[in-house]
């Protein structure tokens, strides 16, 4: 496993919740959207264990209904608990990312100098 | 959508897969479906999602390996670990259905054998030994199903496993089980209270039980 995918694993739940918050999506759509924002390392299949876990924890709700293109798809939407969790994850991420950015970018400078 | 409808759709849609993708997917499917303690509904839903995903990916030229990774067993284990368990009520109904079915067949077999053997003695039912035998058959069936599903599950991602080897193991189990039942029923034949159950009545009750188990099955799926 690359370092990037290891880092991603911890925060993937948050990314999936964030995509679902914008509008209900089905699995294939979700993986497309994650790739579109630049998370190309996420192997497409990875989302299914994540979706199952989020459903089990009642953070999202899956519902099978007809899609625009015709066939039935399982669409996921956020539950109220999911919204709360997403807010918490965003908050925690911000608290972590600022100091880590500062620290790791500084590290680069030391090597360069 | 019910699990039975999803299974039906799954069978049709699998035909759309290319040979390599079909093999990869079918292994995942067998592995997940043979985990008997998992919720059937949730298993079938995620299997359908993965199949839909694979079909869409295939149209873009992607392979199952690219979508689900190089380690199908590891991936399947991850899915299995996140799937919820079947609720107790459903498992109980399912086991009840099988029990009724087994007792039904037991009575019908008896009604076939009695006229062949003949004699009034064979129409006697010894309560304790009959109960013992039925319970034994049920336990053997449960273990048999568990073992065969375990075999399928194990061999899902094992290229070296052959159908012949599996059939041999399953056959060996069947023969062994039969032998045990035969030996035990020979020794515990005539003890305890008994009553006479003519083969016609045995046949009638047996048929009724089979009908009941069929009705339970119909209502279940």
């Amino acid at each position: 496993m690359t370092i990037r995918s290891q880092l991603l694993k911890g925060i993937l739940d948050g990314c999936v919740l964030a995509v679902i918050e914008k509008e209900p999506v089905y699995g294939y759509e979700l993986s497309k959207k994650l790739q579109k924002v630049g998370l190309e390392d996420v192997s497409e299949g990875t989302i299914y264990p994540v979706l199952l876990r989020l459903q089990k924890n009642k953070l999202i709700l899956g519902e099978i209904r007809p899609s625009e293109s015709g066939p039935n798809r399982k669409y996921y939407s956020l539950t109220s608990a999911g919204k709360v969790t997403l807010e918490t994850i965003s908050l925690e991420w911000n608290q972590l990312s600022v100091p880590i950015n500062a620290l790791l970018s500084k590290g680069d400078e030391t090597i360069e100098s | 959508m019910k699990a039975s409808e999803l299974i039906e759709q799954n069978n049709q849609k699998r035909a759309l897969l290319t040979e390599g993708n079909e093999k990869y997917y079918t292994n995942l499917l067998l592995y997940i479906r043979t985990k008997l303690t998992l919720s059937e509904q949730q298993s079938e839903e995620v299997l359908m999602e993965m199949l839909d995903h694979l079909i869409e990916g295939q149209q873009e030229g992607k392979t199952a390996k690219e979508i689900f990774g190089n380690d199908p067993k590891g991936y399947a284990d991850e899915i299995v670990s996140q799937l919820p368990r079947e609720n107790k009520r459903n498992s109980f109904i399912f086991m009840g259905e099988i029990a009724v079915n087994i007792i039904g067949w037991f009575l019908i077999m008896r009604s076939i054998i009695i006229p062949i053997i003949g004699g009034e003695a064979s129409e006697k039912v010894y309560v304790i030994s009959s109960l013992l035998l039925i319970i034994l058959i049920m336990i053997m069936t449960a273990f048999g199903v568990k073992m065969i599903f375990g075999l399928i599950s194990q061999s899902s991602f094992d290229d070296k496993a052959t159908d012949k080897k599996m059939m041999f193991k399953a056959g060996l189990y069947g023969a062994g089980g039969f032998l045990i039942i035969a030996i035990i029923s020979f020794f515990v034949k005539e003890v305890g209270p008994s009553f006479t159950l003519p083969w016609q009545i045995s046949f009638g009750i047996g048929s009724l039980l089979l009908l009941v188990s069929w009705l339970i099955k119909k209502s279940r799926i």
Side-chain angles (χ1 to χ4, degrees):
Chain A
M1 212 190 270
T2 63
I3 291 176
R4 206 187 326 176
S5 57
Q6 271 185 45
L7 287 171
L8 199 54
K9 217 171 178 187
I11 196 70
L12 193 57
D13 285 23
C15 299
V16 169
L17 287 174
V19 172
I20 295 174
E21 191 203 21
K22 293 205 174 68
E23 57 172 332
V25 288
Y26 63 90
Y28 193 75
E29 256 184 328
L30 173 64
S31 75
K32 283 273 153 198
K33 285 188 175 179
L34 287 173
Q35 287 181 345
K36 217 170 161 189
V37 297
L39 298 171
E40 280 151 11
D41 281 29
V42 185
S43 120
E44 294 177 33
T46 326
I47 58 169
Y48 292 104
V50 174
L51 287 171
L52 285 173
R53 183 170 60 241
L54 294 175
Q55 275 180 96
K56 204 156 73 171
N57 297 336
K58 306 228 168 12
L59 302 180
I60 57 173
L61 200 72
E63 193 190 6
I64 299 180
R65 54 185 159 90
S67 62
E68 284 166 20
S69 55
N72 283 326
R73 298 276 189 240
K74 191 169 176 183
Y75 283 90
Y76 293 97
S77 52
L78 234 54
T79 64
S80 47
K83 280 183 189 139
V84 175
T85 306
L86 177 59
E87 269 170 42
T88 316
I89 294 177
S90 309
L91 209 71
E92 302 258 343
W93 174 254
N94 284 334
Q95 282 175 358
L96 272 176
S97 67
V98 174
I100 291 174
N101 268 339
L103 197 66
L104 292 182
S105 307
K106 197 181 158 196
D108 277 349
E109 279 163 25
T110 338
I111 292 163
E112 276 164 24
S113 59
Chain B
M1 196 182 277
K2 280 184 179 177
S4 58
E5 291 171 305
L6 286 166
I7 293 172
E8 179 63 37
Q9 255 187 37
N10 195 309
N11 291 340
Q12 288 166 7
K13 282 190 186 171
R14 268 204 321 279
L16 300 172
L17 297 176
T18 62
E19 204 188 325
N21 287 348
E22 200 267 340
K23 189 163 187 290
Y24 188 109
Y25 179 79
T26 303
N27 282 338
L28 282 180
L29 176 137
L30 283 178
Y31 190 77
I32 292 170
R33 276 196 188 157
T34 45
K35 300 278 182 232
L36 282 174
T37 52
L38 300 177
S39 157
E40 188 185 20
Q41 181 69 32
Q42 295 303 317
S43 302
E44 289 306 325
E45 283 187 14
V46 78
L47 280 169
M48 182 53 78
E49 287 181 278
M50 281 155 55
L51 180 56
D52 282 334
H53 195 132
L54 185 53
I55 291 170
E56 283 199 59
Q58 191 175 273
Q59 282 159 3
E60 293 173 13
K62 284 182 220 156
T63 65
K65 248 187 191 169
E66 284 165 336
I67 294 172
F68 301 114
N70 291 323
D71 175 19
K73 185 167 185 299
Y75 183 68
D77 277 330
E78 240 182 291
I79 294 276
V80 164
S81 72
Q82 298 302 337
L83 273 169
R85 292 182 154 258
E86 186 67 272
N87 73 43
K88 290 235 166 62
R89 194 176 158 271
N90 286 352
S91 317
F92 190 75
I93 292 175
F94 180 59
M95 284 192 282
E97 175 199 322
I98 293 187
V100 170
N101 191 284
I102 289 175
I103 298 172
W105 279 116
F106 187 79
L107 289 173
I108 288 183
M109 289 300 176
R110 186 177 171 277
S111 74
I112 294 171
I113 293 167
I114 290 172
I116 297 174
I117 305 175
E120 268 176 39
S122 55
E123 291 200 327
K124 267 196 168 173
V125 176
Y126 292 89
V127 179
I128 294 172
S129 42
S130 298
L131 271 180
L132 200 73
L133 204 60
I134 286 173
I135 291 170
L136 191 70
I137 292 173
M138 281 182 195
I139 293 172
M140 291 300 235
T141 309
F143 270 110
V145 168
K146 215 180 156 219
M147 194 210 70
I148 289 172
F149 276 43
L151 276 180
I152 297 172
S153 173
Q154 261 176 34
S155 64
S156 291
F157 301 109
D158 182 3
D159 293 332
K160 275 175 262 161
T162 59
D163 288 350
K164 257 190 199 158
K165 236 197 256 171
M166 257 170 63
M167 298 246 265
F168 181 73
K169 276 191 200 170
L172 208 63
Y173 181 87
F178 187 77
L179 195 68
I180 292 174
I181 290 172
I183 290 171
I184 291 182
S185 66
F186 181 77
F187 281 113
V188 292
K189 227 168 174 280
E190 287 154 9
V191 280
S194 68
F195 60 93
T196 307
L197 188 68
W199 68 268
Q200 295 93 334
I201 295 177
S202 191
F203 186 79
I205 298 175
S207 309
L208 201 71
L209 289 180
L210 286 190
L211 183 71
V212 169
S213 90
W214 182 76
L215 286 175
I216 300 175
K217 189 178 174 188
K218 275 279 157 197
S219 70
R220 187 171 55 84
I221 53 174

